[in-house]
Amino acid sequence: MVADGISFKNINRLAIPAIVAGIAEPLLSITDTAIVGNIPDFGTESLAAVGIVGSFLSALIWILGQTRSAISAIISQYLGAGRLDEVESLPAQAIFLNVSLSVVILVSTIFFIEEIFQLYNASGLILEYCVQYYEIRVWGFPLTLFTFAVFGIFRGLQNTFWPMIVAIIGASVNVGLDLILVYGLDQFIEPMGIKGAAWASLISQGLMAIIVFVLLVVKTNVSLKLKLPLNKELGRLIAMSLNLFVRSIALNTAIYFANAHATDYGKEYIAAHTIALNIWLFSAFFIDGYGAAGNILSGKLLGSQQYNMLWQLSKKVTLYGIVVSLVLGVLGSVFYYQIGAVFTKEPLVLETFYTIFFIVLIAQPINGIAFVFDGIFKGMGEMSYLRNVLLAATFLAFIPVLYLSESFGFKLSGIWIAFVVWALVRGVALVIKFRKMIRPKLIPV
């Protein structure tokens, strides 16, 4: 690999399609949020329900979707070492394992929907809407995990273009179906409300899974036929996935505590928090495009033992990630009031949202550092350290700051202050560790 591999052009060739592909799932949720938040008479309750269910589904997807990062890391490392044929049977085995687990979890949760969302302090009409929305959307869970796993294969092969195409199609179909199914279409389709949003997401997820399967078969030599014996790297992939599994539980513990506290404060608070969280997740996945470029390239550079280029890569993707995060922060500041109005017209919800949106914007550059180094560490296969950092950030930073803020009566502001501290701990810990790992291996130029 020549120095061109970490040029501005090549990094962005990977990052920009990864940005589009990465925002596919949050875009499904953010579209649902914006459209159901404007349902006449019941917009606030619908918005709150979509926020609660969306956070739970995101938790499931993030927890089990970590195979994407693990398989991407292994494939890119073998590609860099010129030994790709040795992991030929791994993708099919990994996908089969992942989708099987998702079906088990789907079946396990479908019988306890009310009990799950009561844990989020949902009650009354909000709880009723949670049940209606979840019992449809949950069937897209295995489809999304399959899509994410195939995205990981493409990433490992240094290709983010096809995932981008799939994401664009899925998001476009979701927006169109949302408008038709939620609000109805003249005399042809009756308005379905929150159920329509759930069906729109499910259909879009199914379409994405079909397209990504076809692309994998047509555009690559990767076989999805299960073969024995088990690949020698399957054990490492499972270990990496388990570390990321624990990491995702820590991540979603923070989101659970945030949602439960916001719901407890009242429906206006959870509705406002839902808007803020969706914007935060959208921008997070946006910035994470450079994390994906770092993931893809760091694995290949590590596999070929090009440490000097790996060091330069970290500097470049960090710079690009921070620039993008600053641009998002500036755009959020310029359109501060217009953004909230996209999601709801309820004065109390908007008033609450505007009191905390500036904290979401402040967090963007901090997120830029944390997400970029997340990607680099995933590409290097350092999943155990990522696990430890998230555990520390959640249980030693986020939760203590959340309860301390609550004791001062900060309510929603306290939740978002805790998120800023959480992101700061993650970013600082990853930067320090990377410098300690790679700097001693640099060859003087």
Side-chain angles (χ1 to χ4, degrees):
M1 187 176 188
V2 295
D4 225 31
I6 58 169
S7 65
F8 177 81
K9 181 179 179 181
N10 195 50
I11 289 172
N12 280 282
R13 178 184 65 82
L14 296 170
I16 292 173
I19 287 169
V20 179
I23 62 176
E25 178 60 28
L27 196 58
L28 294 183
S29 295
I30 210 169
T31 303
D32 288 355
T33 301
I35 290 176
V36 303
N38 287 286
I39 294 174
D41 301 324
F42 300 106
T44 301
E45 289 83 0
S46 299
L47 184 58
V50 167
I52 293 169
V53 174
S55 69
F56 179 69
L57 276 175
S58 293
L60 293 178
I61 290 166
W62 285 339
I63 288 168
L64 286 182
Q66 299 307 322
T67 303
R68 174 181 64 174
S69 297
I71 197 168
S72 173
I74 292 173
I75 289 177
S76 62
Q77 288 171 21
Y78 271 81
L79 182 66
R83 296 156 43 208
L84 196 58
D85 58 304
E86 295 179 26
V87 289
E88 182 183 13
S89 61
L90 184 63
Q93 293 172 6
I95 289 174
F96 177 78
L97 178 66
N98 210 38
V99 174
S100 298
L101 283 172
S102 73
V103 172
V104 171
I105 290 179
L106 184 156
V107 173
S108 301
T109 61
I110 201 72
F111 298 107
F112 306 101
I113 302 177
E114 278 197 28
E115 289 81 1
I116 289 169
F117 296 114
Q118 283 171 348
L119 292 174
Y120 284 79
N121 295 325
S123 60
L125 191 57
I126 293 177
L127 179 59
E128 182 182 331
Y129 283 164
C130 282
V131 172
Q132 291 179 14
Y133 187 64
Y134 181 79
E135 64 186 8
I136 297 170
R137 270 212 68 182
V138 69
W139 296 100
F141 178 46
L143 300 172
T144 297
L145 288 181
F146 172 79
T147 301
F148 274 22
V150 177
F151 280 3
I153 295 170
F154 276 116
R155 281 189 179 187
L157 295 172
Q158 316 292 288
N159 184 331
T160 56
F161 178 76
W162 290 116
M164 177 188 71
I165 297 300
V166 174
I168 290 172
I169 294 171
S172 301
V173 169
N174 185 69
V175 172
L177 289 177
D178 256 334
L179 292 169
I180 293 171
L181 299 179
V182 172
Y183 300 133
L185 187 63
D186 296 328
Q187 280 108 46
F188 300 104
I189 299 174
E190 290 289 321
M192 297 174 66
I194 196 169
K195 288 185 177 181
W199 277 112
S201 294
L202 177 58
I203 294 168
S204 302
Q205 288 166 316
L207 180 63
M208 289 170 68
I210 292 169
I211 296 172
V212 83
F213 171 76
V214 172
L215 287 173
L216 188 69
V217 171
V218 173
K219 297 293 182 180
T220 76
N221 294 321
V222 175
S223 172
L224 290 183
K225 184 178 179 181
L226 280 174
K227 298 176 183 177
L228 292 175
L230 297 178
N231 191 275
K232 63 180 182 179
E233 287 289 353
L234 186 62
R236 184 160 75 106
L237 182 139
I238 292 172
M240 291 165 70
S241 298
L242 285 174
N243 280 320
L244 291 174
F245 180 96
V246 174
R247 176 180 179 272
S248 294
I249 290 175
L251 186 154
N252 286 287
T253 297
I255 294 177
Y256 163 75
F257 271 88
N259 277 290
H261 280 251
T263 305
D264 201 39
Y265 298 147
K267 68 179 184 179
E268 288 81 15
Y269 286 93
I270 182 57
H273 175 69
T274 295
I275 298 171
L277 187 62
N278 272 276
I279 293 169
W280 184 78
L281 290 173
F282 179 82
S283 61
F285 279 95
F286 203 101
I287 298 167
D288 196 46
Y290 286 95
N295 178 315
I296 294 164
L297 293 171
S298 64
K300 191 173 182 182
L301 291 171
L302 186 69
S304 56
Q305 298 183 349
Q306 298 186 65
Y307 300 113
N308 284 54
M309 287 181 66
L310 183 56
W311 182 263
Q312 293 302 317
L313 172 71
S314 71
K315 290 182 177 181
K316 289 184 177 183
V317 292
T318 300
L319 175 62
Y320 303 154
I322 291 174
V323 169
V324 169
S325 65
L326 288 172
V327 169
L328 291 173
V330 170
L331 288 173
S333 301
V334 171
F335 299 102
Y336 199 87
Y337 294 100
Q338 292 90 332
I339 289 172
V342 170
F343 294 92
T344 184
K345 300 297 185 292
E346 293 288 336
L348 281 176
V349 176
L350 287 172
E351 183 182 337
T352 307
F353 169 70
Y354 294 140
T355 62
I356 52 98
F357 186 33
F358 75 95
I359 305 177
V360 179
L361 299 178
I362 289 170
Q364 295 311 309
I366 302 170
N367 287 341
I369 296 171
F371 297 148
V372 163
F373 275 92
D374 260 0
I376 291 173
F377 272 75
K378 286 176 182 176
M380 293 167 59
E382 293 291 329
M383 312 309 190
S384 59
Y385 187 72
L386 288 173
R387 175 202 65 202
N388 294 339
V389 168
L390 238 308
L391 287 169
T394 298
F395 294 103
L396 300 181
F398 179 84
I399 292 176
V401 172
L402 174 65
Y403 279 98
L404 181 63
S405 299
E406 188 174 54
S407 70
F408 285 105
F410 291 168
K411 291 190 175 180
L412 216 53
S413 296
I415 291 174
W416 284 95
I417 290 170
F419 271 126
V420 172
V421 175
W422 183 67
L424 187 62
V425 169
R426 292 173 60 191
V428 170
L430 293 175
V431 169
I432 292 173
K433 177 68 172 178
F434 182 81
R435 291 176 67 85
K436 286 183 177 179
M437 286 177 59
I438 303 302
R439 200 163 191 170
K441 299 179 180 179
L442 299 178
I443 300 171
V445 178

